[in-house]
Amino acid sequence: MRKTAIALVCVIVLLSSCSKETIYNHYLKGNWTIYQLDIRETTDTISSSYSLFNAGIYTFHKNNEGSVTMSADTSKKTIDFKWSTVSNKQVLLSFESELLEKWDVLIDEPRDQTWECTSADTISAGGVVVISTLHRKMYLKKFD
């Protein structure tokens, strides 16, 4: 009985010493399928929305490196990135092309994640300036 109590206290101390970010980083590592990706594109007054299913796979490694394999029809493209987290509220993906994606974590479960990202660009051509907004909501499931 005494050994069980000591073990329980040790586990509680160990878990309380781990931050939410450390726990989140731990279960984010592995392979995640993008089972649904909702996209809304808006350029001034023109808007379009669509969803992609089984859109690819994210792989997160322990060394804070990873890759995303995007699949569209029969073609696949793999892009490497470095990743970090801000608590369990945001995932930052830094790609080799200097692109930084900031994904807000809406649902944070060890085997299910829902992330959201909005970006805006100003496009200027021929004296016309247009603001283009891209909103993405991604549903992930861990499969390993």
Side-chain angles (χ1 to χ4, degrees):
M1 181 70 168
R2 185 177 189 140
K3 288 182 181 179
T4 304
I6 292 172
L8 180 62
V9 168
C10 289
V11 168
I12 291 171
V13 168
L14 179 65
L15 289 177
S16 65
S17 67
C18 293
S19 68
K20 284 185 175 183
E21 183 172 354
T22 302
I23 294 169
Y24 185 71
N25 281 351
H26 175 73
Y27 69 70
L28 192 58
K29 293 171 188 156
N31 296 310
W32 296 80
T33 185
I34 307 168
Y35 72 89
Q36 183 175 338
L37 177 61
D38 296 333
I39 300 170
R40 185 177 67 244
E41 296 176 282
T42 305
T43 304
D44 283 345
T45 59
I46 301 169
S47 182
S48 66
S49 297
Y50 54 95
S51 295
L52 301 173
F53 298 92
N54 298 318
I57 296 170
Y58 275 98
T59 301
F60 295 92
H61 300 291
K62 291 180 181 181
N63 59 358
N64 287 69
E65 292 182 357
S67 63
V68 58
T69 301
M70 301 300 289
S71 55
D73 298 325
T74 58
S75 65
K76 292 188 179 202
K77 180 179 180 182
T78 300
I79 304 169
D80 294 328
F81 58 80
K82 295 199 180 293
W83 65 276
S84 61
T85 60
V86 178
S87 186
N88 57 343
K89 302 288 183 211
Q90 197 171 61
V91 176
L92 307 174
L93 304 178
S94 176
F95 294 90
E96 292 175 4
S97 64
E98 303 295 320
L99 174 68
L100 176 67
E101 290 183 353
K102 295 179 183 180
W103 289 89
D104 295 320
V105 178
L106 303 178
I107 295 177
D108 167 25
E109 298 293 331
R111 304 213 57 87
D112 288 294
Q113 296 280 312
T114 301
W115 298 354
E116 188 173 59
C117 178
T118 301
S119 60
D121 291 317
T122 302
I123 303 166
S124 179
V128 177
V129 177
V130 176
I131 297 174
S132 176
T133 304
L134 177 65
H135 175 81
R136 296 173 287 167
K137 189 171 186 179
M138 183 164 50
Y139 303 88
L140 302 162
K141 282 202 181 291
K142 193 168 193 177
F143 66 89
D144 69 346

